[in-house]
Each structure stands twice: as C-alpha cells, then as structure tokens.
Amino acid sequence: MKLFTKLPLVALLAILMLSSCSTDSIDDKVDAIELNLVTLEAKNIEVEILNLINDHRLSVGLNSLNDMSIVKSVAFSHTDYMVDNHEVSHANFYTRSNYLKENAGAKKVSENVAFGYSSAEGVVNAWLKSESHKANLEGDYTNFDISAEKSEDGRWYYTNIFIKK
C-alpha cells in the first residue's frame, strides 16, 4: 500500500530530472565558468525543435522567434557542459544570461534544458506539458536557439535559450 502513496512522488522526481527551465529570477549558486563560444552548423533535430516551437507559438497567436548564432553558441557551451558532467542543470545560468545581455543586446533571458528525449517532438511535447517550460516557450521573446548534443552513451542533452532584445 505504501508503494501506491509514493508512486506520485517518484513520478514527479522523474519529470523534474528529465527537463528543467530557468529565468533571470532564479539564483545561480554555481561558480561562473568561461564560455567557450563556437560557430556551429544546425543539426536536423535542432532545426525541427525550433520549427516546432515556432509552429506552437503561431498556433496560439504569438510571434515567431528568430534564431541567432550567438544564442546557439551560448546554448552549445552549456549543453557541452551538461554532457561532460552527465547531468541536466542550469549551472552557470547567470554567466550565460549576462553574456547575452552584454553581447547580444538581450534585455531578458530564459532557458529550458532537458535530456534523454530522442526526438524533437518528444522534447518539445515534454516542455509543453510543463507549466514553467511552456511559459518560456510562450514568453515575450524575440530570438532563440538551441543546442542538442549526444553523450557517449547515446543520450541527447538539450539547451534552449530565449532572449528578448
């Protein structure tokens, strides 16, 4: 009987471990790291995710967002960090946020992260089912981009950053 009372808690913990979001209002308690910015070609899964997010935004009467190479590069630096550390997190969010404010003209920054989803539809649907992630997807932003990277064990990690210029 105790198993049935603990099952909802286990399910909630699993959801929180698979995806997460962050905005400027969340404290960053991890030491800042230096961003290693690179120029990257978009992967098919990344293009699909951006298209699905814009399709959703348009379906609810919002503006579509423009991709932005500097945002992609910052997203990649964090996705690479998560892959290297085998964890999904918002570690060093304020470093990314401040960098985008100083170098991309961002006035507002937020991000969604996730891991383990093997398709664009899977990760976007998970974000849409979460109130806080959906708020980022439907937020008042002008630009966005994403990085999706596979770890050595074949798991995908994602960082999706939104900015308002």
Side-chain angles (χ1 to χ4, degrees):
M1 191 66 163
K2 289 183 181 180
L3 175 64
F4 292 112
T5 60
K6 293 181 181 179
L7 196 54
L9 178 60
V10 172
L12 177 61
L13 288 173
I15 289 170
L16 292 175
M17 289 178 63
L18 291 177
S19 61
S20 186
C21 66
S22 185
T23 65
D24 282 335
S25 63
I26 295 175
D27 288 334
D28 189 9
K29 296 179 182 175
V30 178
D31 291 334
I33 61 166
E34 184 176 328
L35 294 175
N36 295 316
L37 302 182
V38 295
T39 304
L40 301 163
E41 291 282 327
K43 295 176 186 70
N44 287 339
I45 194 168
E46 294 167 336
V47 172
E48 289 175 39
I49 291 168
L50 297 178
N51 287 337
L52 287 168
I53 291 170
N54 270 337
D55 289 348
H56 172 76
R57 288 179 62 87
L58 291 171
S59 77
V60 295
L62 299 169
N63 62 302
S64 62
L65 303 176
N66 297 310
D67 59 350
M68 193 173 192
S69 60
I70 191 170
V71 174
K72 179 171 191 50
S73 185
V74 171
F76 172 77
S77 74
H78 184 59
T79 305
D80 192 45
Y81 171 87
M82 291 191 303
V83 168
D84 287 348
N85 289 284
H86 307 288
E87 68 177 2
V88 63
S89 75
H90 291 288
N92 307 301
F93 173 74
Y94 276 102
T95 300
R96 292 186 295 286
S97 178
N98 289 335
Y99 184 88
L100 291 168
K101 287 175 180 176
E102 292 171 11
N103 296 283
K107 293 179 178 25
K108 178 176 154 184
V109 180
S110 70
E111 72 181 15
N112 288 344
V113 296
F115 81 101
Y117 297 95
S118 60
S119 71
E121 295 84 8
V123 71
V124 172
N125 286 337
W127 284 332
L128 287 172
K129 289 177 183 175
S130 162
E131 189 175 314
S132 58
H133 295 95
K134 186 176 180 181
N136 284 342
L137 281 141
E138 294 179 353
D140 182 22
Y141 299 105
T142 55
N143 301 83
F144 71 155
D145 223 312
I146 190 159
S147 171
E149 298 298 324
K150 250 187 191 178
S151 65
E152 288 180 5
D153 64 359
R155 286 188 172 179
W156 283 99
Y157 287 76
Y158 305 90
T159 304
N160 184 199
I161 298 178
F162 302 85
I163 70 169
K164 179 176 183 165
K165 289 182 84 172

